[in-house]
Amino acid sequence: MRNSKLKHNLVEFGISRALRFLNKNPRVIFYHGVDFAENNHSLHINPDIFEQEIAFLSKHYEVISIHEYENRFRNNQFNGKEIVVTFDDGYKNNLTIAAPILKSLNIPFTVFISTNHIENGNYFPTTIARMIIRNNNLSFVKIDCLKLKAELKNNMQREAICDAVIHILKHSNIRLVNEICHQLIENISHDEYEELCHFHKIEAPMNWEDVIKLHTEYNCTIGSHCKDHFICNIYQTEEETKTQLKGSKQIIEEKLHASCDYLAYPNGIYNKGDVTAYAQHTAKEAGYKLAFTTVTDRLSAKSNPMLMPRCAARFEMDDFIMKLVLKPKIQF
Ligand SMILES: [Zn+2]
């Protein structure tokens, strides 16, 4: 039996309901964007499926705000049915598509923003790599700082080069990341890049006006995702890590006239090096009350407030329902 068919049957025959009862644990779910994506590499969920998922959460779980989640964590008062809805990066469609859906269902939510992207409108590094390298018009890519010169003859080559560059972007110092992005863009003309960004406008971040509107009109909690979608790994200097964690919090507080209490580490796979001990210490020192990873651990009263678990949303309904009942894994 195919995996999707199996999941469908487990949902259909009520097994998921039994598992939901057995596997109680508060969950913080993270999405990225909500929009109609043009390819299956996208981080953006189809709006109709998103609405179905949120309606499902609203019916079968207790969807609470991040503040309430923090309160229950501090006081060890979870009932295990809690869900917190969060979004990473700060895409414009969080305001234009996700927020109206969430408001219509009365769902509290949090968006973690990368403040320099909000400030300058630049697309995220991995998005730039995907846009440029997977761009069908490009037959050759050159990135001098990586000593990379590669022909892009077919889709398989494009995928392989793109994956390799993305891996480097996720495991490098911020200065090298910026240099790679700059040199990637230089493979095409300014006008071509503008055109490419327009074609991929689904990837555009919000600006400050959008963020303020999201916060004031939709009562959205705004958290930090560093200044430059900065991955807090060992390749970064301590000084830059501190600037990213403290600076993003400070600018959010200045722009919104509200405290920024929560952080989501970009990439956030703490058990694979995305969050150094220094970053955890500095996040605490900066005054974040909770800092979230992208690892689906079980939550307990003893969980580290600077390494809180989260659960990635799924783009298909049955998959989403089964993930929620199976993850985090039950520990006996
Ligand atoms: Zn991110």
Side-chain angles (χ1 to χ4, degrees), residues 32 88-89 114 225 229 265-267:
H32 288 88
D88 281 6
D89 301 345
S114 274
H225 203 43
H229 204 271
Y265 301 104
N267 228 45

Side-chain angles (χ1 to χ4, degrees), residues 34-304:
V34 181
D35 207 338
F36 297 97
E38 69 277 3
N39 63 56
N40 50 10
H41 295 290
S42 178
L43 290 170
H44 306 266
I45 183 172
N46 175 299
D48 298 331
I49 298 173
F50 175 71
E51 188 163 3
Q52 282 175 39
E53 290 187 359
I54 297 296
F56 178 86
L57 292 176
S58 180
K59 187 173 172 195
H60 296 288
Y61 291 86
E62 185 190 2
V63 187
I64 59 171
S65 71
I66 201 162
H67 302 287
E68 180 59 20
Y69 177 90
E70 186 208 334
N71 280 339
R72 293 188 192 188
F73 175 65
R74 299 265 171 230
N75 300 310
N76 196 15
Q77 282 177 337
F78 284 119
N79 59 38
K81 289 176 73 180
E82 292 88 351
I83 294 277
V84 178
V85 175
T86 70
F87 298 82
D88 281 6
D89 301 345
Y91 296 97
K92 206 176 257 293
N93 60 42
N94 290 175
L95 171 68
T96 56
I97 301 178
I101 294 172
L102 291 159
K103 191 174 183 176
S104 73
L105 295 167
N106 205 18
I107 300 293
F109 64 107
T110 297
V111 175
F112 294 103
I113 59 168
S114 274
T115 57
N116 276 352
H117 292 270
I118 301 296
E119 192 82 31
N120 58 31
N122 288 347
Y123 286 15
F124 295 96
T126 51
T127 305
I128 293 174
R130 288 190 188 99
M131 286 195 317
I132 301 277
I133 302 171
R134 291 211 184 111
N135 173 5
N136 286 329
N137 297 325
L138 208 62
S139 56
F140 187 82
V141 67
K142 185 162 117 49
I143 308 172
D144 288 339
C145 60
L146 299 181
K147 297 188 170 55
L148 175 86
K149 286 177 186 171
E151 278 194 90
L152 303 170
K153 283 185 189 161
N154 52 46
N155 285 344
M156 224 164 77
Q157 278 183 342
R158 288 176 208 282
E159 291 300 322
I161 301 284
C162 189
D163 288 350
V165 171
I166 285 176
H167 181 83
I168 295 169
L169 287 171
K170 289 184 174 181
H171 297 87
S172 297
N173 177 279
I174 181 81
R175 258 170 295 169
L176 181 59
V177 171
N178 289 340
E179 183 93 39
I180 294 169
C181 290
H182 180 72
Q183 294 184 358
L184 269 169
I185 294 169
E186 283 187 334
N187 280 276
I188 56 177
S189 72
H190 177 74
D191 287 353
E192 282 170 332
Y193 185 64
E194 293 282 295
E195 211 174 291
L196 200 58
C197 286
H198 181 72
F199 182 75
H200 293 276
K201 58 180 184 294
I202 185 174
E203 308 293 344
M206 288 184 280
N207 58 32
W208 280 115
E209 203 183 315
D210 297 331
V211 174
I212 291 166
K213 191 171 177 188
L214 194 63
H215 177 64
T216 54
E217 292 184 21
Y218 291 93
N219 200 21
C220 167
T221 303
I222 303 294
S224 165
H225 203 43
C226 292
K227 290 173 73 177
D228 294 283
H229 204 271
F230 176 94
I231 301 175
C232 299
N233 54 33
I234 50 158
Y235 309 103
Q236 314 286 6
T237 64
E238 290 190 348
E239 197 186 348
E240 187 60 39
T241 304
K242 189 189 274 189
T243 304
Q244 292 278 336
L245 293 170
K246 293 193 171 178
S248 54
K249 185 178 193 300
Q250 193 182 345
I251 192 162
I252 291 169
E253 293 181 342
E254 279 170 19
K255 295 279 185 183
L256 300 181
H257 307 291
S259 73
C260 171
D261 296 330
Y262 309 108
L263 167 75
Y265 301 104
N267 228 45
I269 312 173
Y270 78 87
N271 46 9
K272 292 199 175 161
D274 287 345
V275 184
T276 59
Y278 179 79
Q280 294 168 46
H281 163 79
T282 308
K284 191 171 183 185
E285 192 186 73
Y288 291 107
K289 292 179 177 166
L290 298 176
F292 293 87
T293 67
T294 55
V295 179
T296 317
D297 292 327
R298 280 195 89 74
L299 185 75
S300 77
K302 288 181 193 150
S303 295
N304 180 347

